[in-house]
Amino acid sequence: MLLTRAPRGTRDILPPEAEKWRRIEEKARELCRLYRYGEIRTPLFEHTELFSRSVGEETDIVSKEMYTFEDRGKRRLTLRPESTASVVRAYLEHNLNAAPQPVKLYYIGPMFRYDRPQAGRYRQFHQFGVEAFGSQSPALDAEIIHLADQLYRQLGLPDVALEVNSVGCRRCRPPYREKLQGFFREKLESLCPDCRQRHGTNPLRILDCKEETCRSHFREVPTLGDNLCPECGSHFAALQEGLKNLNLPYRVNPFLVRGLDYYTKTVFEFISPRLGAQSSLGGGGRYDDLVEVCGGPPTPGSGFAVGLERILLALEEEGLSKEEEAPEVYVASIDAGALPRVDLLLRDLRAKKVSCERDFLGRSLKAQLKQAGRSRARLTVLLGGDEFREGKALLKDMATGEQDTVSLDSIIDAVLDNLDREV
RNA sequence: GUGGGUGUAGCUCAGUCAGGUUAGAGCGCCAGGUUGUGGCCCUGGAGGCCGUGGGUUCAAGUCCCAUCACUCACCCCA
């Protein structure tokens, strides 16, 4: 057991990096305020069955990636691998179906999946997501996509690409599924081992395969788009109208099939060219049957989630630097006699919302100045010596090196003045 | 779950192929370069069971085996 190492697939986020996280989270929150999504905070673990039922028994997430445990009361619990299921549960638990619809919610927080870690993939990772319940309108899907698009753009990732598709509903998908199985039945020999497996369990996934042998059939394969029922067809058409209306560039990817079972009609994904193998920055779609599956009244829903680690990764490729925030003022002592006054000055500066720092290691004046310079403080106040006995202090501008003598009575005002703050 | 790459100082890495005295560099950190002043420069210092365990050998950072971790990819996803 390595006590000095975080568990596999997890990591610490230290101050300079946490700064970048805050920026992303604040942007997400700001957008949610503008688009009128309210924050919801749900537990990090839920009853195991909530996920297996909603995400789908056959999915990779449920079949091999969940952190499941039994608590002391013999309950089967699972650390959430995604958040849509939890939000649906909360929507029902608190009777939000009685509130004016649609109910629009967002969340930010950690998720857990037992995967082999690799670039942009962790066992504890973080998602920002939104969910909207109670409307079937394709305009709502378009709004969600627009919100996501704005997040990327405003964070400085203009080259993300949007792909959309429709996976139909419980009326048109089963017949299509059979049609697809029929199409591949006589070609089983030429499919990769994985796809031969998929043919039985989840034939739609074959469309996701990257093997050339499998892809070679894709030119003639019947697509979802050609097999949607009239309702799903017009819904998909309306979504595309909505995206055009909002001037959102997109590409219809007839092979876009998402890994969670609950999606109906709209599915979409944002791809970044700068991400390596895990090129998906975020995605989502509509889930009109999910609330019912979880034991509620028939209620349509639509949502989106994005991985914060993925955004960070993409921004890093962008070459965005992370800089630790500098203090505004460093207070140095010329001799130990001034130390009590140093602490009072720090207290008073902080009361005026000025960030300031002092030495705690008994450093020499020279070393204190060195620290001040290294921390990139804008100003340094020096207390001690003859000036201190005369009720004065030295105020030094670290950029120019210029230094004034200021009376201790007016030192706060002088600092504020030099920082261009209101006195 | 499968495959490849990598583990030497806080960080980035030499040294491993041809085993052989006290294991190195740059950056970072700490101190000093005479009165009470940072950045540049100079000098000095601290800091390493060479990932861990076993084996081969007179001798292992170096060769062999195992194991753990990190990393990239597959699967899948965020």
Side-chain angles (χ1 to χ4, degrees), chain A residues 367-421:
Chain A
Q368 289 180 68
L369 263 294
K370 199 170 175 177
Q371 291 301 317
R374 189 156 309 165
S375 72
R376 305 194 326 282
R378 283 173 62 186
L379 301 172
T380 296
V381 177
L382 299 95
L383 294 180
D386 296 337
E387 292 86 351
F388 188 53
R389 282 187 285 279
E390 291 161 18
K392 290 176 178 153
L394 296 168
L395 179 58
K396 184 180 175 91
D397 182 308
M398 296 303 280
T400 64
E402 281 170 33
Q403 173 169 306
D404 294 329
T405 307
V406 180
S407 97
L408 273 174
D409 300 332
S410 56
I411 186 70
I412 301 275
D413 289 348
V415 167
L416 291 173
D417 190 43
N418 270 272
L419 292 173
D420 300 319
R421 298 275 197 85

Side-chain angles (χ1 to χ4, degrees), chain A residues 284-396:
Chain A
R286 179 159 278 286
Y287 41 84
D288 289 343
D289 303 329
L290 182 57
V291 175
E292 208 176 341
V293 166
C294 293
T299 308
S302 192
F304 157 80
V306 54
L308 300 190
E309 282 85 355
R310 297 273 167 91
I311 290 184
L312 262 304
L313 200 65
L315 285 175
E316 223 136 273
E317 299 295 315
E318 183 83 343
L320 234 96
S321 65
K322 46 181 172 186
E323 279 207 352
E324 213 154 346
E325 202 172 314
E328 294 174 291
V329 178
Y330 189 97
V331 183
S333 60
I334 295 168
D335 50 59
L339 279 172
R341 192 65 184 81
V342 165
D343 289 327
L344 291 182
L345 180 55
L346 287 163
R347 180 196 64 186
D348 295 341
L349 285 171
R350 288 164 181 161
K352 294 287 188 186
K353 311 289 186 202
V354 173
S355 72
C356 49
E357 185 63 283
R358 59 160 278 193
D359 166 62
F360 286 107
L361 293 180
R363 285 184 170 89
S364 67
L365 179 62
K366 182 189 172 92
Q368 289 180 68
L369 263 294
K370 199 170 175 177
Q371 291 301 317
R374 189 156 309 165
S375 72
R376 305 194 326 282
R378 283 173 62 186
L379 301 172
T380 296
V381 177
L382 299 95
L383 294 180
D386 296 337
E387 292 86 351
F388 188 53
R389 282 187 285 279
E390 291 161 18
K392 290 176 178 153
L394 296 168
L395 179 58
K396 184 180 175 91

Side-chain angles (χ1 to χ4, degrees), chain A residues 52-105:
Chain A
S52 50
R53 280 263 294 280
S54 61
V55 176
E57 210 72 64
E58 301 300 320
T59 60
D60 280 27
I61 291 179
V62 172
S63 63
K64 58 182 207 191
E65 292 174 4
M66 294 207 301
Y67 276 95
T68 297
F69 61 97
E70 191 175 80
D71 73 3
R72 287 167 187 276
K74 305 287 184 204
R75 281 169 282 260
R76 296 274 294 166
L77 301 169
T78 294
L79 298 182
R80 63 183 186 191
E82 58 109 51
S83 229
T84 303
S86 306
V87 176
V88 167
R89 195 222 78 235
Y91 175 85
L92 291 172
E93 181 166 340
H94 302 286
N95 291 314
L96 295 182
N97 51 343
Q101 308 290 301
V103 171
K104 296 159 73 179
L105 302 166

Side-chain angles (χ1 to χ4, degrees), chain A residues 11 75 117-118 157 173 251 253 271 289 310 318:
Chain A
R11 64 196 189 114
R75 281 169 282 260
Q118 73 187 73
L157 295 170
R173 188 148 34 149
R251 189 174 80 84
N253 176 358
I271 313 282
D289 303 329
R310 297 273 167 91
E318 183 83 343

